[in-house]
Amino acid sequence: MTLVKICGIKRIEDVEYLNDLKPDYAGFVFAESKRKVDVNTAYSLIKNLDKQIKKVGVFVNEEVSVVKDVAVYLNLDVLQFHGDEPQDYIDNFDDYTVWKAIRIIEKSDVFRLRDYHVDGILLDSKINGFYGGSGVKFDWNLVKDVKDNLKCKFILAGGINADNVLKAIEAARPDVIDVSSGVEVGGFKNYQLMKDLICKVRSVKW
């Protein structure tokens, strides 16, 4: 079964939606982004989050000490590195579940998976000026065989919404669907879009 991560949580209303719909992961962005939250805001949101929903901290080229401080303070379940972090940077976080994002625009980008030994590989669209959250999909045919060659969790992101999520799952068979802008209206999380996407993902058995 494919799991669901809703990323870019920044309002108490978002948390209320999550608690009702119960996706598997909630993402909190600590990098420069329109969805960025400060640590204290994240703390107040997480305090109200259903304990069954795992907390993912999203970082981009952040200092190791800062990531560790945030992870401890918020008791994060997953650290997601969405920048240019090499393996020797990631090795500082052996005590945590780590996901590494790789941005894809052509087949050669897929080969970068070999550079990392992590708990999860997240594939996202490569868009100039964006480390993530662009809302633009890439060609899922480029990664249709990734699942067969990965020994870790496979997370798919980039322009996924309720209208195309079933095609995404059929094409790439990811362990986790990661969505942010695809469940937003006017830059804010939308309950109905979240519900539609989660229901569609959970209708698939493979």
Side-chain angles (χ1 to χ4, degrees):
M1 184 177 74
T2 302
L3 306 181
V4 178
K5 171 176 170 253
I6 304 293
C7 199
I9 302 306
K10 60 182 184 180
R11 305 179 302 158
I12 190 62
E13 293 92 336
D14 301 340
V15 171
E16 291 168 355
Y17 299 162
L18 294 175
N19 289 346
D20 186 60
L21 298 171
K22 293 183 172 50
D24 305 280
Y25 300 91
F28 299 87
V29 179
F30 301 105
E32 288 307 316
S33 162
K34 61 185 178 182
R35 301 179 184 89
K36 181 179 181 179
V37 291
D38 61 59
V39 176
N40 291 328
T41 298
Y43 182 87
S44 65
L45 294 173
I46 286 171
K47 182 173 63 175
N48 292 285
L49 184 68
D50 188 307
K51 299 297 185 288
Q52 295 180 23
I53 302 172
K54 293 186 177 180
K55 308 172 294 295
V56 182
V58 181
F59 303 90
V60 173
N61 302 331
E62 186 57 87
E63 294 289 337
V64 169
S65 60
V66 172
V67 175
K68 288 188 173 182
D69 286 346
V70 173
V72 170
Y73 182 55
L74 300 179
N75 191 28
L76 296 176
D77 298 297
V78 180
L79 305 181
Q80 178 179 319
F81 296 119
H82 221 97
D84 308 303
E85 302 89 356
Q87 184 66 45
D88 60 357
Y89 173 97
I90 290 168
D91 289 341
N92 289 286
F93 303 97
D94 287 343
D95 294 338
Y96 291 92
T97 296
V98 173
W99 293 354
K100 179 67 184 82
I102 295 175
R103 298 182 297 284
I104 303 291
I105 195 171
E106 56 189 11
K107 190 66 176 180
S108 61
D109 294 320
V110 179
F111 299 139
R112 293 184 55 219
L113 274 65
R114 303 169 183 170
D115 297 338
Y116 294 98
H117 301 283
V118 288
D119 303 290
I121 288 288
L122 186 152
L123 299 183
D124 198 357
S125 305
K126 181 187 284 186
I127 306 294
N128 287 338
F130 287 87
Y131 274 106
S134 67
V136 178
K137 69 180 286 293
F138 65 92
D139 183 0
W140 296 322
N141 289 321
L142 296 175
V143 298
K144 63 182 180 180
D145 299 322
V146 164
K147 175 72 174 174
D148 298 327
N149 298 300
L150 270 185
K151 295 181 180 179
C152 63
K153 198 177 291 292
F154 171 29
I155 305 99
L156 185 66
I160 299 171
N161 55 50
D163 293 331
N164 64 23
V165 68
L166 294 180
K167 291 181 180 178
I169 292 172
E170 180 182 9
R173 296 177 295 126
D175 297 300
V176 183
I177 287 288
D178 186 352
V179 62
S180 188
S181 62
V183 290
E184 292 179 351
V185 173
F188 296 100
K189 294 293 182 284
N190 179 272
Y191 177 86
Q192 192 60 49
L193 293 180
M194 291 169 63
K195 181 178 181 180
D196 290 349
L197 181 132
I198 291 170
C199 287
K200 285 187 176 181
V201 172
R202 290 183 173 162
S203 72
V204 178
K205 310 296 180 186
W206 59 269

